[in-house]
Amino acid sequence: MSTSASATERRGIPAAAFVEDVQTYLTQLNLDVNSALAFLQERLQQYRVVEMKLLAQQRDLQAKIPDIEKCLDVVATLQAKKGTSEAIIADFEVSEGIYSRARVEDGQSVCLWLGANVMLEYSCEEATTLLQKNLENAKASLEVLVADLQFLRDQVTITQVTIARVYNWDVHQRRLRQATAGVATLES
């Protein structure tokens, strides 16, 4: 587990402080038990929201990487056939679920969707360079995202442990008060 000293934040995700002594924690923050528990529950909920966002980004990147690799394979096939008289027969998606067959003879260039309904024509070499750069960026982003998710999961665990410690400390304090009140009643 990480402690508050090892990391204070990672890419905007605040680090959770590991609470060694609940009494000191409550005194330093000037909180009562209920306020501390409410604060910790709110922080836990914030972590859950960020986790859902990061998981959605991870799914998008995991879907994007195979698409880029597939495009690289197609461009490599076009480059391999360049200069030969051999035509390539390809099925391509016109619309969702609608495909058409095309005969490509000596393809010198390819058109790539850049997003926002924009398509540009590139030479095969330029397309390969662009796609490889995009693939490297997507893989690097995925690595950072996985590290962010691990950091976030650590913070969730620390927060859950802190909630349990504060709650258990409160229960223990109540029992001590009851025991001392019972002893005081017996003595009088």
Side-chain angles (χ1 to χ4, degrees), residues 6-186:
S6 67
T8 57
E9 184 176 298
R10 178 176 171 89
R11 293 178 16 105
I13 303 168
F18 181 77
V19 176
E20 298 268 347
D21 180 12
V22 174
Q23 179 66 46
T24 305
Y25 172 75
L26 294 174
T27 305
Q28 285 176 347
L29 293 180
N30 196 25
L31 294 173
D32 62 14
V33 171
N34 291 332
S35 299
L37 287 172
F39 168 76
L40 291 167
Q41 289 290 351
E42 182 180 330
R43 177 60 58 95
L44 187 60
Q45 187 61 32
Q46 291 169 347
Y47 285 145
R48 296 290 185 202
V49 169
V50 172
E51 182 180 34
M52 288 189 310
K53 179 182 147 200
L54 292 178
L55 286 171
Q57 290 175 356
Q58 183 183 29
R59 279 190 305 273
D60 291 346
L61 280 173
Q62 287 173 332
K64 184 179 185 178
I65 289 172
D67 288 344
I68 296 171
E69 290 170 339
K70 198 183 309 179
C71 288
L72 274 168
D73 289 343
V74 169
V75 173
T77 302
L78 286 173
Q79 282 182 309
K81 301 289 182 173
K82 190 186 270 188
T84 66
S85 60
E86 188 178 343
I88 299 172
I89 306 296
D91 292 331
F92 64 96
E93 191 171 14
V94 177
S95 182
E96 190 172 330
I98 300 173
Y99 292 86
S100 181
R101 182 159 284 167
R103 179 183 173 95
V104 180
E105 296 180 20
D106 200 26
Q108 298 294 321
S109 63
V110 295
C111 294
L112 299 176
W113 284 106
L114 299 181
N117 293 326
V118 175
M119 179 184 278
L120 287 179
E121 184 175 358
Y122 291 94
S123 69
C124 290
E125 294 79 17
E126 291 173 328
T128 299
T129 303
L130 178 67
L131 289 169
Q132 285 175 339
K133 180 179 170 235
N134 289 351
L135 182 61
E136 290 169 9
N137 290 341
K139 286 182 177 180
S141 295
L142 186 59
E143 284 180 27
V144 169
L145 203 55
V146 167
D148 288 348
L149 279 167
Q150 184 57 51
F151 176 79
L152 187 62
R153 288 183 183 119
D154 288 346
Q155 303 323 298
V156 166
T157 301
I158 291 169
T159 304
Q160 289 171 332
V161 167
T162 301
I163 289 170
R165 291 183 73 145
V166 170
Y167 180 78
N168 290 339
W169 178 86
D170 184 44
V171 169
H172 180 70
Q173 294 302 311
R174 288 180 193 187
R175 287 183 183 160
L176 284 176
R177 283 192 295 269
Q178 286 177 345
T180 49
V183 168
T185 306
L186 289 175

